[in-house]
Amino acid sequence: MPTPLGTPFTFFYALVLLATTVFAESADPALVGRLLSASSTDVVNLVHHPLLVLAASGLWIAGSPLSAYTVGFLLVLTALERRVGGLRTAAVFALGHVLATLLTEVPIGVAVALGRLPDSSLVRLDYGISFGVMAGLGALAGLLGPWPRWILLGAVGAMLLDDFLVFADPISAWGHPAALLVGIATWPFVRRARRARVDR
């Protein structure tokens, strides 16, 4: 589990998520709804204030506070941070969060512009930590031995395939594998960081 000295990025980010979760559960629902809408990385918000919503959308937990992605956040990011450090873990998380968001939302904007989707597709609630967690998981897999790596990626791949078959949320169905691939793409980066920490 994260600790303030051993894994400060994960620990303090978890405290922020705890605070926003408590706020979302106890504050006026209308206020919470407005804040979530303002934090959503839908096409309209990305066009008008992209930096704000890309940052704010990662401050909320979508769904249950005890969801698989919340547990994954604690376990995966703690394990990654212990191996590569807080700054690199934050970079992997942010890269997955931002790139997967853009890879899912930009095509929606293009499809609306081409008349393939209705204008209502431009505004939706899209926030949470799942893309960053998937990127962290992909990065962590590159630091494991061959058997644990492929078992982990196989289990995650089966979960993502199930998401595609259910297809309840197309954004998540496409965004999660994109974020996982972003994490896998960081293997050279995280492996160098791991070697540097071991050599010290």
Side-chain angles (χ1 to χ4, degrees), residues 1-3 6-11 71-86 88-89 136-137 139-141 143-144 152 190 194 197:
M1 297 301 289
T3 61
T7 54
F9 168 72
T10 307
F11 182 84
V71 175
F73 173 90
L74 294 173
L75 299 179
V76 169
L77 267 65
T78 297
L80 183 61
E81 187 170 358
R82 289 191 185 282
R83 289 162 173 79
V84 302
R88 292 176 180 88
T89 300
L137 194 151
L140 179 63
L143 302 175
L144 303 177
L152 176 62
V190 295
R194 173 70 184 276
R197 287 174 71 87

Coordinates of all heavy atoms in Angstrom, one line a residue, residues 1-3 6-11 71-86 88-89 136-137 139-141 143-144 152 190 194 197:
M1 N 0.8 -1.2 0.0 CA 0.0 0.0 0.0 C 0.9 1.3 0.0 O 2.0 1.2 0.4 CB -0.9 0.0 1.2 CG -1.9 -1.2 1.2 SD -3.0 -1.2 -0.2 CE -4.0 0.2 0.1
P2 N 0.4 2.4 -0.5 CA 1.2 3.6 -0.6 C 1.5 4.1 0.8 O 0.7 4.0 1.7 CB 0.3 4.6 -1.4 CG -1.1 4.1 -1.2 CD -1.0 2.6 -1.1
T3 N 2.7 4.8 0.9 CA 3.1 5.4 2.2 C 3.6 6.8 1.8 O 4.1 7.1 0.7 CB 4.2 4.7 2.9 OG1 5.3 4.6 2.0 CG2 3.7 3.2 3.2
G6 N 7.5 6.4 1.2 CA 7.9 5.4 0.2 C 7.3 5.7 -1.2 O 8.0 5.5 -2.2
T7 N 6.1 6.1 -1.3 CA 5.4 6.3 -2.5 C 4.6 7.6 -2.4 O 3.3 7.6 -2.4 CB 4.5 5.1 -2.9 OG1 3.6 4.9 -1.8 CG2 5.3 3.9 -3.2
P8 N 5.2 8.8 -2.3 CA 4.5 10.0 -2.1 C 3.5 10.4 -3.2 O 2.4 10.9 -2.8 CB 5.6 11.1 -2.0 CG 6.8 10.5 -2.6 CD 6.7 9.0 -2.4
F9 N 3.8 10.1 -4.4 CA 2.8 10.5 -5.5 C 1.5 9.7 -5.3 O 0.4 10.3 -5.3 CB 3.4 10.2 -6.9 CG 2.4 10.3 -8.0 CD1 1.9 11.5 -8.4 CD2 1.9 9.1 -8.6 CE1 0.9 11.6 -9.4 CE2 1.0 9.2 -9.6 CZ 0.4 10.4 -10.0
T10 N 1.6 8.4 -5.2 CA 0.4 7.6 -5.0 C -0.3 7.9 -3.7 O -1.5 8.0 -3.7 CB 0.8 6.1 -5.1 OG1 1.6 5.8 -6.2 CG2 -0.4 5.2 -5.1
F11 N 0.4 8.1 -2.7 CA -0.2 8.4 -1.4 C -1.0 9.7 -1.4 O -2.2 9.7 -1.0 CB 0.9 8.4 -0.3 CG 0.4 8.6 1.1 CD1 -0.1 7.6 1.9 CD2 0.3 9.9 1.7 CE1 -0.6 7.8 3.1 CE2 -0.2 10.1 2.9 CZ -0.7 9.0 3.7
V71 N -9.0 0.1 -6.6 CA -8.1 -0.9 -6.0 C -6.8 -0.9 -6.9 O -5.7 -1.0 -6.4 CB -8.8 -2.2 -5.8 CG1 -7.7 -3.3 -5.3 CG2 -9.9 -2.2 -4.9
G72 N -7.0 -1.0 -8.2 CA -5.9 -1.0 -9.1 C -5.0 0.2 -9.0 O -3.8 0.1 -9.0
F73 N -5.6 1.4 -8.8 CA -4.9 2.6 -8.6 C -3.9 2.4 -7.4 O -2.7 2.7 -7.5 CB -5.8 3.8 -8.3 CG -5.1 5.0 -7.9 CD1 -4.7 6.0 -8.8 CD2 -4.8 5.3 -6.5 CE1 -4.1 7.1 -8.5 CE2 -4.2 6.5 -6.2 CZ -3.8 7.4 -7.1
L74 N -4.4 1.9 -6.3 CA -3.5 1.8 -5.1 C -2.4 0.7 -5.3 O -1.3 1.0 -5.0 CB -4.4 1.4 -3.9 CG -5.4 2.4 -3.4 CD1 -6.3 1.8 -2.3 CD2 -4.6 3.7 -2.9
L75 N -2.8 -0.4 -5.8 CA -1.8 -1.5 -6.0 C -0.9 -1.3 -7.1 O 0.4 -1.4 -6.9 CB -2.6 -2.8 -6.2 CG -3.5 -3.3 -5.1 CD1 -4.2 -4.6 -5.4 CD2 -2.7 -3.4 -3.7
V76 N -1.4 -0.9 -8.3 CA -0.5 -0.8 -9.5 C 0.4 0.4 -9.3 O 1.6 0.3 -9.6 CB -1.4 -0.6 -10.7 CG1 -0.5 -0.2 -12.0 CG2 -2.1 -2.0 -11.0
L77 N -0.1 1.6 -9.0 CA 0.7 2.8 -8.9 C 1.7 2.7 -7.7 O 2.9 3.2 -7.9 CB -0.1 4.0 -8.8 CG -0.4 4.7 -10.1 CD1 -1.2 3.8 -11.0 CD2 -1.0 6.0 -10.0
T78 N 1.4 2.0 -6.7 CA 2.3 1.8 -5.6 C 3.5 0.9 -6.0 O 4.6 1.3 -5.8 CB 1.6 1.2 -4.4 OG1 0.6 2.0 -3.9 CG2 2.6 0.9 -3.3
A79 N 3.1 -0.2 -6.7 CA 4.2 -1.1 -7.2 C 5.1 -0.4 -8.2 O 6.3 -0.5 -8.2 CB 3.5 -2.3 -7.8
L80 N 4.5 0.4 -9.1 CA 5.2 1.1 -10.1 C 6.1 2.2 -9.5 O 7.3 2.3 -9.9 CB 4.3 1.7 -11.2 CG 5.0 2.5 -12.4 CD1 5.8 1.5 -13.2 CD2 3.9 3.1 -13.3
E81 N 5.6 2.9 -8.6 CA 6.3 4.0 -8.0 C 7.5 3.5 -7.2 O 8.6 4.1 -7.1 CB 5.4 4.9 -7.1 CG 6.1 6.1 -6.5 CD 5.2 7.1 -5.8 OE1 4.0 6.9 -5.8 OE2 5.7 8.1 -5.4
R82 N 7.4 2.3 -6.5 CA 8.5 1.7 -5.8 C 9.6 1.3 -6.7 O 10.8 1.3 -6.3 CB 8.0 0.5 -5.0 CG 7.1 0.9 -3.8 CD 6.9 -0.3 -2.8 NE 5.9 0.1 -1.8 CZ 6.2 0.8 -0.7 NH1 7.4 1.2 -0.5 NH2 5.3 1.0 0.2
R83 N 9.3 1.1 -7.9 CA 10.3 0.6 -8.9 C 11.0 1.8 -9.7 O 12.1 1.7 -10.0 CB 9.7 -0.4 -9.8 CG 9.4 -1.7 -9.2 CD 8.5 -2.6 -10.0 NE 8.3 -3.9 -9.4 CZ 7.6 -4.2 -8.4 NH1 6.9 -3.3 -7.7 NH2 7.5 -5.5 -7.9
V84 N 10.2 2.8 -10.0 CA 10.7 3.9 -10.9 C 10.6 5.3 -10.3 O 11.1 6.2 -10.9 CB 10.0 3.9 -12.3 CG1 10.1 2.5 -12.9 CG2 8.5 4.3 -12.1
G85 N 10.0 5.4 -9.1 CA 10.0 6.8 -8.5 C 8.7 7.5 -8.8 O 7.9 7.1 -9.8
G86 N 8.4 8.5 -8.0 CA 7.2 9.3 -8.1 C 7.0 10.1 -9.4 O 5.9 10.1 -10.0
R88 N 8.3 9.7 -12.4 CA 8.1 8.8 -13.6 C 6.7 8.2 -13.5 O 6.1 8.0 -14.6 CB 9.2 7.8 -13.7 CG 10.6 8.5 -14.0 CD 11.7 7.4 -14.0 NE 13.0 8.0 -14.3 CZ 13.8 8.5 -13.4 NH1 13.4 8.5 -12.1 NH2 15.0 9.1 -13.7
T89 N 6.3 7.8 -12.3 CA 5.0 7.2 -12.2 C 3.9 8.2 -12.6 O 2.9 7.9 -13.3 CB 4.7 6.7 -10.8 OG1 5.7 5.7 -10.5 CG2 3.3 6.1 -10.6
G136 N -0.5 2.8 -16.1 CA 0.4 2.3 -15.1 C 0.5 0.8 -15.1 O 1.6 0.3 -14.9
L137 N -0.6 0.1 -15.3 CA -0.5 -1.3 -15.4 C 0.3 -1.8 -16.6 O 1.1 -2.7 -16.4 CB -2.0 -1.9 -15.5 CG -2.2 -3.4 -15.2 CD1 -3.5 -3.6 -14.6 CD2 -2.0 -4.2 -16.5
A139 N 2.7 -0.2 -18.0 CA 4.1 0.1 -17.7 C 4.7 -0.9 -16.7 O 5.8 -1.4 -16.8 CB 4.3 1.6 -17.2
L140 N 3.9 -1.2 -15.6 CA 4.4 -2.1 -14.6 C 4.7 -3.5 -15.2 O 5.6 -4.2 -14.8 CB 3.3 -2.2 -13.5 CG 3.6 -3.2 -12.4 CD1 4.9 -2.7 -11.6 CD2 2.4 -3.3 -11.4
A141 N 3.9 -3.9 -16.2 CA 4.1 -5.2 -16.8 C 5.5 -5.3 -17.4 O 6.1 -6.4 -17.4 CB 3.0 -5.5 -17.9
L143 N 8.1 -4.3 -16.2 CA 9.2 -4.5 -15.2 C 9.1 -5.8 -14.5 O 9.9 -6.1 -13.6 CB 9.0 -3.4 -14.1 CG 9.1 -1.9 -14.6 CD1 8.8 -1.0 -13.5 CD2 10.4 -1.7 -15.2
L144 N 8.1 -6.7 -14.9 CA 8.0 -8.0 -14.3 C 8.7 -9.0 -15.1 O 9.1 -8.8 -16.3 CB 6.5 -8.4 -14.3 CG 5.6 -7.4 -13.5 CD1 4.1 -7.9 -13.6 CD2 6.0 -7.3 -12.0
L152 N -0.3 -11.3 -16.4 CA -1.0 -10.1 -16.1 C -1.6 -9.5 -17.4 O -2.8 -9.1 -17.4 CB 0.0 -9.1 -15.5 CG -0.5 -7.7 -15.2 CD1 -1.6 -7.7 -14.2 CD2 0.6 -6.7 -14.8
V190 N 10.6 3.2 -18.4 CA 10.5 2.7 -17.1 C 11.7 1.7 -16.8 O 12.1 1.6 -15.6 CB 9.1 2.1 -16.7 CG1 8.1 3.1 -16.8 CG2 8.8 0.9 -17.6
R194 N 14.2 2.0 -13.8 CA 14.4 0.9 -12.8 C 15.9 0.5 -12.6 O 16.4 0.4 -11.5 CB 13.6 -0.3 -13.2 CG 13.8 -1.6 -12.4 CD 13.3 -1.4 -11.0 NE 13.5 -2.6 -10.2 CZ 12.8 -3.7 -10.1 NH1 11.8 -3.8 -10.9 NH2 13.2 -4.7 -9.3
R197 N 17.7 3.2 -10.6 CA 17.5 3.1 -9.1 C 18.2 1.9 -8.5 O 18.7 2.0 -7.4 CB 16.0 3.0 -8.9 CG 15.2 4.3 -9.2 CD 13.7 4.1 -9.0 NE 13.3 3.9 -7.7 CZ 13.0 4.8 -6.8 NH1 13.1 6.1 -7.2 NH2 12.5 4.5 -5.6

